Amino acid sequence: MMQVPVAKAEQATSAAVLRIAAVSKRFGSMTVLQDCSLSVAEGEIVTLLGPSGCGKTTLLRCIAGFWNPEEGAILIDGQDTVQTPVNRRPVGVVFQSYALFPHLTVAENIGYGLRMRGLPKTEIAARVAAALETVSLSGLGGRYPAQLSGGQQQRVAIARVLVLEPRVLLLDEPFNALDAKLRGAMQVDLRQLIKRLGMTAIFVTHDQEEALTMSDRIAVMRAGRIEQVAPPEEIFDRPATAYVADFIGSSNFWQAEAQAGRVILPDGQDLSTSLTGPVRVMSRPHNLSLQPGALGPWQGRLLFQRSVGALVEYHVTTDSGDMRVMAMRRPAARQPVEGDTVTLGVIDPGLCAVYEP
Amino acid sequence: MKPPRNPALTDRLGIGAMLALAVLSLVILVAPSIIVLMISFDTRAFVSFPPQGFTFDWYRQVFAQDVLVEAMMNSLQVGMAVTILCVLLGVPTALVCVRGRFPGTTALSVYVLVPHMVPGIVLGVAVLFAGALVGIGPSMGLQAISITVFVLAVMVRTVQSRLQRLDASLDEAAANLGATPFQALRTITFPLLMPAIMAGAVFTFIEGFDNISVAIFTHGFRDRPLPIELLAMVQSVNTPLVAAVSGVQILLAILALVAVSFSIGLDGVND
């Protein structure tokens, strides 16, 4: 009976294609990565998400080998790669600018890595054709990158690394160069392509919607550290820190006192916590309810409301601070107007989070 | 700032003035060459404007005079030597200035410019003295070296600015795809620098062919280059022969530009 969890843990370790262990990176006196650890399983897509300057691109560049960390290890299939030269690492990078070679045709771009490996011409041609097929660009092999649309260029950049069958695919904000209109569809396509090929991928972005669409797990980064690694739903529902809660989705924060393992919510319900003393409580806007009139202990004045499709977003000022509520629209007669007194409630106290102040 | 009372009128006047200036500068640029070319076809045996008649005689005489043909050959050789030296020295220098990851790259890229800022005459004297120190007297070799020192900056700057505008991730992409630094240089960086190298080559060749300010001190006295021979001729001869020699030089410059425009396109030069 005791053997089972051990065996499971070992299995999990051996299945990790990429393991980043306590990586730190400094530029001069500035520490840009501090003690970052992350394991990525075979076929998993993990997003490094954070604002600019949080170190997400630095971590990606360390994995690719363009920079080397001062401390820690980057293991691919259990082998530390920190000493491996950049051109021998089994990783494929899709650059933000795509970095397609402008003087080479699409086919020559895709075949470049195979040519560097000295493969015979016939094999290169066959594998390039297959890669073009994979990214649905058959027939465009003779074009030059400048003759392609942004979306097509992105697919060439992906095909160029896929053809080398890397162990890890690294994507650096691959949607930045695309029209906002194209992005949504391209994100779904790209995720499906990576999943179909069973690739292990690290994806860097500052855009949380992109992260939610693309990832199996999200690593939220802040000032060179990884704050939380979890599946998108968990990041959204159970943010580990106030920073993550604030960065992902919208959130309401208020001050409270924790006593004897409990926090009393403003509407009278309570919530268990391991903290004591002053704390910050967080609730997502859709976890709050709103009733017109003075019906309960948590009252406030409606400052502003706007329709967001079938939902209404309310801004309410209360004794605990200004709150945002997302709720279904009511029949016109029962819809409050700005300036009305309203009563707020927490729908599920279990979805509130308690943080240190 | 007060809005102009009649914006349409002032705008039109402004555009008109700009156009007039553009046409004027074009005329100033081209007119001397046109005048020299016109004189070179004159049938009279003295330089006068406007020319009369039309003949190729002067050009025939240019190629019939051994001194001039020899001078032309000397200048061609110097031009080619300067070009080769500038490519061999300038391209690596530009690479180091832009890609080098050690202190002093900025200082180097400024330092390379200095000889080009110094008046040619001063540089000519300096190279003559420096050559004497190491035992190289005035000769075609010293002339080529002196002009190389003078125009190396053109090659370095042309390649440098192209290099700076290349996406730095192209090199990283090549490395990521398995290229060694040398392979990346050969297959990606050099082909993309080619237009700049070609443009630099044309300009340094033309400078090597017809530079006079530096060459006047460093050329070999038995291997006079064409511009020096021309200078000597102007002092003693007053026939359109001088104009015909200039015509040959103008033709050569045009040929060089045409060659560039056919190989990489004139847009490539601007790039």
Side-chain angles (χ1 to χ4, degrees), chain B residues 3-108:
Chain B
R5 242 182 294 168
N6 191 344
L9 182 66
T10 50
D11 272 5
R12 260 182 287 163
L13 280 176
I15 292 167
M18 294 286 251
L19 262 174
L21 277 174
V23 170
L24 183 69
S25 44
L26 201 67
V27 168
I28 292 173
L29 278 173
V30 177
S33 305
I34 304 260
I35 290 170
V36 167
L37 284 174
M38 285 166 75
I39 290 172
S40 71
F41 296 111
D42 200 334
T43 46
R44 298 170 298 176
F46 53 90
V47 171
S48 174
F49 196 83
Q52 287 177 6
F54 184 88
T55 176
F56 279 113
D57 274 358
W58 302 114
Y59 285 92
R60 260 180 231 121
Q61 278 200 38
V62 167
F63 289 100
Q65 291 199 17
D66 287 348
V67 180
L68 285 178
V69 173
E70 207 172 295
M72 241 179 262
M73 286 303 152
N74 291 342
S75 277
L76 274 175
Q77 284 179 50
V78 170
M80 281 192 268
V82 167
T83 308
I84 291 166
L85 283 172
C86 279
V87 170
L88 290 181
L89 295 174
V91 176
T93 306
L95 278 168
V96 166
C97 285
V98 177
R99 296 270 171 92
R101 281 194 208 127
F102 49 87
T105 52
T106 313
L108 180 64

Side-chain angles (χ1 to χ4, degrees), chain A residues 96-327:
Chain A
Q96 195 172 339
S97 62
Y98 306 142
L100 299 180
F101 306 129
H103 60 302
L104 302 181
T105 63
V106 168
E108 286 166 341
N109 265 279
I110 297 174
Y112 185 83
L114 300 171
R115 207 145 53 86
M116 292 302 114
R117 279 162 181 70
L119 265 62
K121 278 203 172 115
T122 49
E123 191 185 340
I124 294 177
R127 284 171 70 173
V128 167
L132 278 168
E133 174 97 47
T134 306
V135 296
S136 328
L137 286 177
S138 298
L140 297 187
R143 298 253 186 113
Y144 283 91
Q147 298 169 307
L148 301 181
S149 71
Q152 289 171 330
Q153 290 181 8
Q154 189 200 54
R155 282 186 278 158
V156 174
I158 292 165
R160 187 171 69 171
V161 293
L162 285 184
V163 78
L164 301 173
E165 296 167 356
R167 291 296 287 145
V168 183
L169 185 61
L170 304 175
L171 302 116
D172 186 10
E173 310 229 10
F175 299 105
N176 259 23
L178 295 180
D179 288 350
K181 250 167 103 184
L182 272 174
R183 283 186 202 172
M186 291 290 297
Q187 286 163 19
V188 177
D189 285 353
L190 184 55
R191 179 178 161 86
Q192 285 174 338
L193 176 67
I194 295 171
K195 284 289 161 192
R196 199 173 75 226
L197 298 167
M199 294 286 307
T200 306
I202 297 270
F203 178 85
V204 162
T205 185
H206 64 273
D207 182 319
Q208 48 166 305
E209 294 224 5
E210 226 167 270
L212 294 171
T213 309
M214 294 291 298
S215 333
D216 296 322
R217 284 191 300 150
I218 297 175
V220 181
M221 292 189 68
R222 173 202 195 183
R225 290 173 183 278
I226 296 178
E227 290 256 317
Q228 184 179 11
V229 190
E233 310 75 46
E234 197 180 322
I235 293 267
F236 191 80
D237 290 340
R238 311 208 174 281
T241 64
Y243 173 81
V244 175
D246 197 31
F247 190 74
I248 306 273
S250 52
S251 43
N252 296 300
F253 285 97
W254 63 86
Q255 307 290 334
E257 277 295 307
Q259 278 172 341
R262 305 206 78 74
V263 181
I264 308 294
L265 299 175
D267 67 346
Q269 302 187 73
D270 67 32
L271 176 63
S272 70
T273 174
S274 57
L275 300 172
T276 48
V279 292
R280 284 169 86 197
V281 184
M282 187 284 295
S283 172
R284 298 293 186 193
H286 62 259
N287 191 33
L288 296 180
S289 65
L290 180 143
Q291 302 281 327
L295 301 171
W298 196 7
Q299 295 178 5
R301 198 160 53 80
L302 182 60
L303 290 178
F304 167 77
Q305 59 177 328
R306 64 174 182 141
S307 292
V308 186
L311 298 174
V312 182
E313 181 186 325
Y314 301 97
H315 291 209
V316 180
T317 178
T318 77
D319 289 343
S320 303
D322 287 356
M323 299 293 151
R324 269 206 268 177
V325 182
M326 278 289 226

